[in-house]
Amino acid sequence: MSSAYPILSSRQYVPHIRSQCGTCGSSLEFPVPSPTPTQGTLLRVRCFKCQTVYSHAFYSAQLPPGAASPSTAQTLNGSTSTPAGGRKGRKIGTQEKPLETGYYDILGVPVDASTDDVKKAYRRLAIKHHPDKNPDDPDAEERFKEIAIAYQTLSDPELRKKYNEFGPKESAPEGGFVDPEEVFGAIFGGERFLPIIGQISLARDMKTALQEAEDAEEDGKEVKRDAKGKEILSEEEKARREEKERKASAEKAAARAERVQKLVENLDRKLSIFTESATGPDDPEVSKSWRTISQLEAEELKKESYGVELLQAIGFVYLSKAKHFLATNQTLFGVGGWLHNVQGKYHVFSETVSTLRSAIELKSVFDQIQAAEKAGNLSPEEKKRLEEQAAEKGLQALFKGTKLEIESVLRETCDRVLEDPSISRTKATLRAVALQILGESYVAVKKDTDGMPDEGEYVRVDTKSSRERDRQRGS
């Protein structure tokens, strides 16, 4: 059969890697480097459109058909090719001159970086490259894992020493690298908020639930259920589970008590800046100085991931507890305190309902996906839209659950600080005044509007629907 097209010229096939410019967002591709890089190597790529040079984290899943994988690009002596920035010609590195610098390059830190510098770099990158932040990028999860591997290697002195000497193969810890609690803590506040809110137990609970689910899958036992769908257990199994639940409940209670005790001590020390200097509740000079200190702290804390949202939640509890204490002790028959108590209980009820609503909305989206997949009429576009929606609602539900937990812990903390039987009523009143000023400073923080996203923006799930909402708000 004849063709109306002329003879077409050709060229030798050159494998390319697909990528996306981090500045202008243009889709592009570049040739596979030779020799093929090792996993986690940062490649510097110049965008054809805006000419910006950006970093691209390489891993073997990106290789197109016909390209040599890192495992086939080994040299005769059995060592893999050294990534960009690595040291060639040595079989054993030193702490000053590592065998290779791939993990340091991934985190963007020098080889002599401190553990704190490594943690800071990881937290920022983990937030920025979290799969929920990049729902349209199929490589986001792999890139996120590479960042976690680099961090957990370089943050452990022993693993870091092995990595510097022998490279990534000898430094890999047993059992994997990624800790869900690390990621959860990084997203919601980070280390700067630990002295104020403590370790969020929701992350630990989620991790335990995932581990139990995996254990159940590995057991492979068939679950028997009654007509109502309830699991049928033997008396022995029922007793075993009840004992396990009692033990877990006791451990959670002990962990919360320890957490609250530490927060009470931290808050007491912080408020003592005011209480040890003020001559009375209305001392103008000390009040002004304490307010300035509180505002400066708030301005620093708001830079953390979800910093503004957390500060406003913490400040609300501080403010309401301080006002309740002062009103109880300064109004006739404590009527003012009773009114503040009613307002506080309504807030707790409202936040609980809001959290449950978010969880129900998330479940609704998953139910839609499951029903559509079962019916076989879910198009790829619709599935992608529902998954984006689930990611957005999932992060919202996680934050609301975290907020509810934090407020509960802080209410108990404030009660312990203000109702301390070992101090005088005058000292307690000074603590309440200081707590009120601190709370006012926290709730007053606002997000920066200079066009630069704060870290909280890095973890906001950016989907088509959310972008459309932002566009409508701006118009």
Side-chain angles (χ1 to χ4, degrees), residues 325-336:
F325 179 88
L326 293 172
T328 299
N329 290 274
Q330 295 175 0
T331 57
L332 184 63
F333 305 120
V335 173

Side-chain angles (χ1 to χ4, degrees), residues 93-104:
T94 65
Q95 304 312 303
E96 295 76 22
K97 295 182 179 180
L99 183 66
E100 65 148 75
T101 61
Y103 288 170
Y104 293 98

Side-chain angles (χ1 to χ4, degrees), residues 13-53:
Y13 172 67
V14 178
H16 280 63
I17 296 174
R18 296 180 61 185
S19 182
Q20 186 176 33
C21 176
T23 302
C24 67
S26 297
S27 296
L28 50 85
E29 62 180 12
F30 57 87
V32 177
S34 180
T36 307
T38 56
Q39 295 272 24
T41 301
L42 279 185
L43 304 175
R44 291 165 56 81
V45 182
R46 185 182 298 280
C47 175
F48 74 96
K49 188 173 183 180
C50 68
Q51 297 301 306
T52 300
V53 176

Side-chain angles (χ1 to χ4, degrees), residues 20-21 48 84 87 118 134 145 148 178 184 220 241 265 267 277-278 308 341 390 466:
Q20 186 176 33
C21 176
F48 74 96
R87 312 283 195 237
V118 170
N134 303 274
K145 288 180 181 178
V178 180
F184 199 95
R241 289 196 182 185
E265 294 169 0
L267 185 57
S277 304
V308 173
N341 190 40
S466 65

